[in-house]
Amino acid sequence: MSASILVTYATRYGSTQEVAETIATTLRESGLEVDLQPLRQVHTIDQYRAVVIGAPLYMFHWHKDALNFLTKYRTPLTARPVAIFALGPFHADEKEFQGAREQLDKELVKFPWLTPAAIEIFGGKFDPEKLTFPHNLVPALKKMPASDIRDWTVIRAWASDLAAQFQPALA
Ligand SMILES: Cc1cc2nc3c(=O)[nH]c(=O)nc-3n(C[C@H](O)[C@H](O)[C@H](O)COP(=O)(O)O)c2cc1C
């Protein structure tokens, strides 16, 4: 097993990918070796010492690639520290963040063997101009204003904390 960490993500419109890239960069700046890959392209996690899984919430559910990943890699994931993040809220509103956290928790409860080292909700990004099928068929969505409330300071701070948490597991 190498000393590296896997940061793996699902994305539909790219915003979660950008967050995963920033987390990977921050972990590298903390001296860790990091591989960054979409969830669907991962074929084994045997070589990693820790795993960070990120995916957006859609229609009250965590992206199915993340759920499939947890199912597929149950055994190796139980033997490693795992950190989880999800993107969702469009407004910097506590209630919206709480709602997103409840949506994520409802998904994670399906994996009772999972005891994440960290779980976080980050604000999301929305651009009505970029919606693709079937989202582009929903008039209410097309009328919503564009927003991007990803807080890069918060995201980097979370990744720095993770680096500190993961260090002992890598020794
Ligand atoms: C059709 C649609 C449904 C969404 N549903 C939810 C939801 O149920 N809960 C939530 O917190 N965020 C929801 N979001 C917000 C997304 O999670 C957010 O836009 C995220 O940044 C998208 O990530 P991506 O660009 O990586 O695909 C939704 C967004 C869209 C466009």
Side-chain angles (χ1 to χ4, degrees):
M1 206 190 277
S2 79
S4 66
I5 292 180
L6 173 65
V7 177
T8 185
Y9 61 89
T11 193
R12 181 162 176 149
Y13 294 111
S15 63
T16 310
Q17 179 178 346
E18 289 166 355
V19 171
E21 285 166 359
T22 295
I23 289 169
T25 302
T26 306
L27 292 172
R28 286 188 190 117
E29 284 165 1
S30 306
L32 300 173
E33 218 180 279
V34 179
D35 281 351
L36 176 70
Q37 272 180 29
L39 282 153
R40 277 188 198 200
Q41 284 175 26
V42 176
H43 297 299
T44 171
I45 61 166
D46 289 349
Q47 68 272 40
Y48 300 110
R49 289 284 187 93
V51 182
V52 182
I53 305 167
L57 289 158
Y58 277 103
M59 305 309 210
F60 312 105
H61 292 285
W62 208 26
H63 196 292
K64 70 175 176 352
D65 288 0
L67 304 175
N68 291 341
F69 184 87
L70 290 180
T71 302
K72 184 169 175 193
Y73 293 105
R74 172 180 176 160
T75 304
L77 286 172
T78 53
R80 291 158 174 75
V82 176
I84 301 252
F85 69 91
L87 263 70
F90 292 147
H91 306 97
D93 168 70
E94 204 182 314
K95 275 211 176 125
E96 214 175 302
F97 272 73
Q98 262 170 23
R101 177 61 197 251
E102 281 163 21
Q103 292 173 13
L104 178 62
D105 285 346
K106 258 192 201 161
E107 300 285 45
L108 295 181
V109 107
K110 298 171 189 162
F111 306 91
W113 50 267
L114 184 70
T115 47
I119 303 176
E120 194 63 44
I121 298 291
F122 296 126
K125 179 180 176 182
F126 177 75
D127 185 348
E129 303 284 314
K130 300 239 165 81
L131 291 174
T132 53
F133 180 84
H135 301 156
N136 57 1
L137 300 181
V138 184
L141 279 175
K142 302 267 294 175
K143 281 191 211 135
M144 275 172 54
S147 66
D148 183 355
I149 62 153
R150 291 171 299 170
D151 185 331
W152 299 105
T153 307
V154 167
I155 292 163
R156 285 193 201 95
W158 186 75
S160 288
D161 285 351
L162 266 193
Q165 238 180 301
F166 284 163
Q167 294 286 5
L170 304 178

